[in-house]
Amino acid sequence: MMEGLRSKIRVAIVVIVSAWIGILALYGLLKPISNGCIMTYMYPTYVPISTNGGVSSAKYGLYLYHEGWKKIDFNQHLKQLSGIPLLFIPGNGGSYKQVRSLAAECDRAYQGGPLEQAFYQEASLTPEEGGEDMDIAGFQLPNQYSRRLDWFAVDLEGEHSAMDGRILEEHTEYVVYAIHRILDQYEESRAAREKEGAAAYGSLPKSVILVGHSMGGFVARAALIHPRLRKAAVETVLTLSTPHQSPPVALQPSLGHYFSQVNEEWRKGYEVQTTQTGHYVSDPLLSRVVVVSISGGYNDYQVRTKLESLDGIVPPTNGFLIGSTGMKNVWLSMEHQAILWCNQLVVQVSHTLLSLIDSKTGQPFPEANKRLAVFARMLRSGIPQSFNWMSSHRSTYVPLKDVKNATGSQVHPFSSCPNNVHWNDDGLDRDLYIQTTTMTVLAMDGRRRWLDIHKLGSDGKGHFMFVTNLAPCVGIRLHLWPDKGKSASEMAASKRVLEVTAKLVQIPSGPAPRQIEPGSQTEQAPPSAVLWLSPEDMHGFRFLTVSVAPRPTISGRPPPAASMAVGQFFNPDDGKRDLSAQFMLLSSHSQKELLLKEDHPLALNLSFTVSLGLLPISLSLTTTGCGIQRSGLLAEEVGDMENSRLCKLRCFPPVALAWDHTSGLHILPNLFSETIMVDSSPALWSSTQGSEKTTIMLLVDPHCSYKARIAVSETAAASRFLLLYSSQIVGFSIAVIFFALMRQAHAWDLDLPMPSMLVAVESNLRIPWPFLLLGFVPILFSLFISLLKSQPLPPLASFVFVSTICYVFANGSVILLVLVSQLVFYGVAIIHVFIKSRWQECEGNICLAFLHWFINLSSGFFSLKVRYTGINCCVISVFDVKWHNQLNNKSLRPCLALQSNRAFENS
């Protein structure tokens, strides 16, 4: 009896846990997503491209996009074709018309010219990507676009390519044909122009840039290894939300087989060609091919970032993955389809593609490393995509090599501001000498602050961090000085002043506060740039100066909103907080608080041992003080203003920078209360050690004190759990059902009482120890193989924990399914018995009276036609004369006679 009670308690606990997770997950998934994207508008025209008779699939089509509201002559438009060809490949169930956003913005970008040059630090190639071997000093982005982009798109009939590998093969065949047809069209267009006497201009394109969305990106990669593709016909591939590692859902074996085949060919394509004896034959077949994968982040529910990674397929020297949350000028996560029209991303991608064109040749850069450098500079932020500001003193991004100018003098790695930006030097009487480790700029006062590095950077505070909303060079400049001096020109050649203004890295800034009235003080503006100087960066220098430009005065206009800048010498170890898994799990029941007193480090490093992709957190910051006690105000004057109005005038809005091993960088500006999550897939056997961790750096005003509340968001965690591990849960559920059926079959073979489905499933929860040991044998064997091959070990503890939760949830889901089905069948049985029992008593007066009332009530609304059946006889017996007159069907007369006789006998 005790065993039966324990089994019922066990089942109840499993059902409650599963139902709770399922309800929270559905609540989180059904909430509308606000991605912050701006819609892209266009005036599309699609020019059909004629196809030859030898095309493999006549059902597909090829179109050329034209932007403009005026009607055009298709043939004449094709004759003028002279740009750089790009081919858009739609994804699963997609349309060729989805090219319109990218094509329209490319046309506007070409007409408007490159983006305004900023003086922020730009990203460059890492050492693993070949940055050390590349002469970046002589490589610059174009000042103007030399050639427009011609966008083509293939019409794949909206076929569902994510369902079958054979469909992918057909799409690949047609894309190869479309590439050749596009290149031939340029030759035909030039020949037509020359025939009409027009002068030839520009060189013919030798390759086509492929841009694929979702499964279309994989089709683009499959086309590159197709045996019939012309040599060097494609050298650049850009994919948007494309699964590269494996299909999101492998519904057909052919789909997984085709993915494996294509990826294996790509791995071989980057291997050096040698003979059987090991002698060099040629460079890798795909050595000139560059692939860049853009992911939509955690809002993309269809394709996870882990599937979009190029690891193990494309070497770092030929491609990389970047998330839209860490992309320069974007900083947003977006849905699977929104990535095609989100204006912030579309504009940045358009200028990136135009920057691939060499202004000297009018063709894309032939060198793969230059094209990769363009993608890195235009898409990546200056902030590293992996968190290393705290873990190491050196940046992973390679600075410019030491070069000399025309006069032979040394040029520093970070260039100075342009010569046309010049401030008048008012002398030392206008300078300020900062005596504290923290400095603040609250207005554009035209003054220069001096900070003694040796004095302020002592006691382990050798790092300097600086945040500001002032524009670099125009609003603020920073220099490193070997000695005290009035101006940089007074320094000897051996003691050059180093300007580090260009090391300011741009970050997204929230909305600026509104000015209540002209000239009034506003709330602190959010920071838009951050600078980090390590002890190695300041080695050999004595002073650091922060020069602020004077406030511009414009007659008839209000002065600009409040400006701010905060810098601090600090020790990174003072701001470290390690948050364990136990801390995070307990925070789901009761919020945990972190108190930050005044004069705390500007950068607070929060290290979570459990990835925020699995356990997203709700983080809120409340200002508890801002130094008003030391401001000289009376206590009664301060009141509640300290935590509200006055503190908003003194403290800049916090910023959160989150690093994740899989999805890269996430930045959240104006962080007061947010749910922070990243797009990673931790606790999988394919994951590596360290991939389940997430690091957050909070930039908070050191003048103010805060109360930080941290709690695991239950709805977000449940939603992420179902999204990440749905395939594992489905697999466990199928296994549970099969084991239950096996128990029933075993009882049938032994002529024993057959257990119900619920009892059979419940018995799965009582795993015998021998079977439990058998389950761990494959895990131990895999660990042994990993040790032999010197491979990184997977996160064993989190893998076992998450697998157990998935198993429990799978059992609970099956039990709920069994209970719901039993409830449904039980309800149907009760209704059936009720109707049948009442039907047998249909001749009773109560039943007859009720039916007579019901039919009279409905006779005014319905016209009933009754066929002769055994059941209809009972119903017809209560019809009145008005209904009998409407029954003209001869087949009903026997029933009517029968009912009349019965009525006569009863009377």
Side-chain angles (χ1 to χ4, degrees), residues 447 605 689:
R447 308 188 74 171
N605 180 16
Q689 287 286 354

Side-chain angles (χ1 to χ4, degrees), residues 568-601:
Q568 184 188 57
F569 285 93
F570 72 105
N571 185 354
D573 294 334
D574 295 339
K576 285 187 176 180
R577 301 288 190 278
D578 294 326
L579 305 179
S580 63
Q582 181 182 2
F583 176 91
M584 298 181 65
L585 292 175
L586 293 177
S587 67
S588 60
H589 301 286
S590 60
Q591 288 187 342
K592 302 298 181 181
E593 294 183 352
L594 295 177
L595 300 179
L596 304 177
K597 298 181 180 180
E598 295 177 11
D599 298 327
H600 57 76

Side-chain angles (χ1 to χ4, degrees), residues 44 90 198 252 269 290 295 365 418 420 567 587 668 684 698 827 829 854 891 894:
Q252 294 286 344
V290 170
S295 69
F365 290 107
N420 58 350
S587 67
L668 292 88
L684 297 176
L698 291 177
F854 175 76
S891 61

Side-chain angles (χ1 to χ4, degrees), residues 440-462:
T440 306
V441 176
L442 294 178
M444 300 179 69
D445 52 11
R447 308 188 74 171
R448 181 171 53 185
R449 278 85 171 163
W450 287 82
L451 295 91
D452 191 330
I453 298 174
H454 292 178
K455 179 181 177 181
L456 302 179
S458 59
D459 297 331
K461 299 182 178 181

Side-chain angles (χ1 to χ4, degrees), residues 28 34 47 119 167 285 367 481 498 502 516 605 626 643 745 849-850 870:
S34 177
V47 181
F119 302 107
I167 298 178
L285 299 176
E367 300 87 356
W481 298 68
L498 175 62
I516 300 176
N605 180 16
C626 50
N643 298 332
F850 172 77

Side-chain angles (χ1 to χ4, degrees), residues 713-733:
S713 175
E714 295 183 352
T715 56
S719 303
R720 294 290 303 173
F721 178 79
L722 288 188
L723 287 173
L724 294 177
Y725 308 112
S726 57
S727 58
Q728 285 82 354
I729 293 173
V730 172
F732 276 130
S733 300

Side-chain angles (χ1 to χ4, degrees), residues 9-231:
I9 295 176
R10 191 184 303 115
V11 170
I13 294 175
V14 170
V15 169
I16 292 173
V17 171
S18 303
W20 180 248
I21 294 177
I23 292 172
L24 290 178
L26 289 177
Y27 177 77
L29 292 174
L30 294 178
K31 288 194 304 184
I33 298 175
S34 177
N35 52 26
C37 285
I38 302 174
M39 183 64 72
T40 302
Y41 297 94
M42 68 294 295
Y43 298 93
T45 300
Y46 304 97
V47 181
I49 306 297
S50 60
T51 57
N52 300 328
V55 61
S56 59
S57 182
K59 61 181 178 179
Y60 302 139
L62 179 63
Y63 291 87
L64 170 66
Y65 182 89
H66 171 71
E67 173 66 16
W69 58 273
K70 293 183 178 180
K71 188 176 181 180
I72 61 172
D73 186 328
F74 288 175
N75 294 328
Q76 191 64 28
H77 183 70
L78 288 176
K79 287 182 182 179
Q80 304 303 321
L81 200 61
S82 60
I84 299 298
L86 292 92
L87 178 61
F88 174 77
I89 308 172
N92 177 54
S95 169
Y96 68 95
K97 295 182 179 180
Q98 291 175 321
V99 71
R100 56 186 181 267
S101 297
L102 280 166
E105 284 299 337
C106 278
D107 186 73
R108 297 189 190 102
Y110 174 77
Q111 297 178 11
L115 297 172
E116 182 180 354
Q117 293 291 332
F119 302 107
Y120 294 107
Q121 176 181 342
E122 293 180 337
S124 56
L125 300 179
T126 64
E128 294 79 10
E129 296 168 346
E132 293 179 339
D133 302 328
M134 180 180 178
D135 183 15
I136 316 177
F139 173 69
Q140 298 294 334
L141 295 176
N143 294 324
Q144 61 180 5
Y145 299 136
S146 58
R147 207 163 178 182
R148 69 168 59 247
L149 302 179
D150 296 328
W151 281 88
F152 296 82
V154 287
D155 180 11
L156 301 177
E157 292 291 320
E159 293 180 339
H160 294 281
S161 55
M163 304 300 173
D164 193 355
R166 180 55 188 166
I167 298 178
L168 281 178
E169 294 181 14
E170 293 180 356
H171 289 181
T172 303
E173 292 276 351
Y174 187 78
V175 167
V176 171
Y177 164 78
I179 294 171
H180 298 163
R181 182 68 188 90
I182 290 171
L183 295 176
D184 294 341
Q185 181 62 51
Y186 279 86
E187 296 181 0
E188 297 173 6
S189 299
R190 168 168 283 197
R193 293 195 302 268
E194 291 177 350
K195 186 177 181 180
E196 294 178 355
Y201 55 90
S203 57
L204 288 175
K206 302 181 181 63
S207 63
V208 179
I209 300 175
L210 300 185
V211 178
H213 172 244
S214 188
M215 299 301 290
F218 182 80
V219 171
R221 285 203 304 113
L224 262 79
I225 52 119
H226 197 278
R228 287 202 296 270
L229 183 68
R230 299 176 189 173
K231 186 177 180 180

